[in-house]
Amino acid sequence: MHVVWAVLLWPSLLIVCIPLDCKDEQGSLSRCPSITQEKLLDRVIQHAELIYRVSEESCTLFEEMFVPFPLRLQRNQAGSACITKALPIPSSKSEIQQISDKWLLHSVLMLVQSWIEPLVYLQTTLDRYDDAPDMLLNKTKWVSDKLISLEQGVVVLIKKMLDEGILTTNHSEQSLLQYDVQPEMLESVMRDYALLSCFKKDAHKMETFLKLLKCRQTDKYNCA
């Protein structure tokens, strides 16, 4: 039933996701004078929502296709090994409520940038699965592409809201060092499962941070 629903939903995702990048005639990111800060934030949130939704579908589909049932509980333990664990990202509700708008935006950007390379890697490893369905491959490719678009949108939003440059991280390169050795098939399945689970968790963080930022713009004193 979940697979049928996903097939029906998939074309609509491609239609409603509006491009985020805003480029001048030279092809570089500008400050997007043609779009208001409010509308840009709305588009960024829309992208984050769709990325999280598709990541959730991808994780469920992968689990149903490849993960033996007794091992599915290990997904709950994946958070301790997530590649973004070392990032200075707030995790508790109280920490999130206390950080500034600036740090909310930079936290989203750090998460996005840290996942770009791992998702490219994930596409490569899924291609090696003999029976990986096209839907899973397409969803992973879609998320990877839209994550780059989300990065562009967040960069422009930082320039608009904070009038400053951006932070860059090297965490994604460091995280890929552990993937050089070819593992056994079950080990590969569980590693990719953990990767999808971690990304789904971080995609939810991106969405949550951006919605909190939106709330602060409209109702500063009543944002839970």
Side-chain angles (χ1 to χ4, degrees):
M1 182 66 183
H2 291 295
V3 173
V4 173
W5 179 83
V7 170
L8 295 174
L9 174 64
W10 184 246
S12 65
L13 292 176
L14 301 179
I15 295 172
V16 302
C17 201
I18 304 171
L20 272 174
D21 55 318
C22 179
K23 299 181 178 180
D24 57 27
E25 294 180 355
Q26 287 73 40
S28 61
L29 284 169
S30 69
R31 292 180 181 272
C32 295
S34 60
I35 183 173
T36 65
Q37 176 180 302
E38 181 181 5
K39 287 185 178 180
L40 179 60
L41 179 56
D42 287 341
R43 288 190 186 182
V44 168
I45 290 173
Q46 182 191 50
H47 267 61
E49 287 175 338
L50 290 174
I51 287 171
Y52 172 61
R53 185 193 308 173
V54 178
S55 71
E56 191 171 35
E57 294 168 4
S58 298
C59 193
T60 300
L61 183 58
F62 185 91
E63 180 180 83
E64 293 173 348
M65 288 289 300
F66 301 112
V67 182
F69 186 79
L71 298 179
R72 294 181 185 180
L73 294 177
Q74 292 186 18
R75 183 176 68 174
N76 296 328
Q77 303 170 6
S80 60
C82 287
I83 61 175
T84 54
K85 183 182 179 182
L87 293 177
I89 305 295
S91 55
S92 70
K93 185 175 180 179
S94 60
E95 288 177 327
I96 295 171
Q97 292 293 333
Q98 292 173 14
I99 63 174
S100 65
D101 293 353
K102 173 181 177 178
W103 197 243
L104 275 177
L105 278 172
H106 281 304
S107 294
V108 172
L109 186 60
M110 282 191 288
L111 287 171
V112 170
Q113 291 176 336
S114 295
W115 276 107
I116 289 175
E117 288 299 325
L119 287 185
V120 171
Y121 156 79
L122 186 61
Q123 291 177 63
T124 302
T125 190
L126 288 179
D127 281 337
R128 296 198 294 265
Y129 284 58
D130 292 334
D131 50 355
D134 288 341
M135 183 186 298
L136 179 60
L137 299 176
N138 291 338
K139 284 177 181 289
T140 307
K141 175 67 165 60
W142 184 91
V143 169
S144 184
D145 291 342
K146 288 296 173 273
L147 197 66
I148 294 174
S149 181
L150 180 61
E151 179 192 26
Q152 294 171 335
V154 173
V155 167
V156 177
L157 196 57
I158 287 175
K159 290 180 179 179
K160 273 182 170 289
M161 295 185 69
L162 307 177
D163 194 30
E164 63 178 45
I166 62 173
L167 296 175
T168 58
T169 67
N170 293 319
H171 290 274
S172 59
E173 293 182 5
Q174 295 171 3
S175 66
L176 292 179
L177 295 177
Q178 60 185 300
Y179 302 141
D180 290 341
V181 179
Q182 293 294 326
E184 296 295 329
M185 188 58 193
L186 181 58
E187 181 184 347
S188 178
V189 166
M190 295 310 296
R191 185 194 60 206
D192 294 342
Y193 183 45
L195 201 64
L196 281 166
S197 299
C198 285
F199 177 70
K200 184 184 76 168
K201 179 180 178 181
D202 283 346
H204 187 253
K205 281 185 182 180
M206 298 175 205
E207 178 187 352
T208 299
F209 289 176
L210 289 167
K211 286 184 174 179
L212 175 58
L213 181 64
K214 172 71 174 178
C215 179
R216 287 180 178 181
Q217 305 301 306
T218 56
D219 191 9
K220 183 176 181 180
Y221 299 103
N222 292 289
C223 297

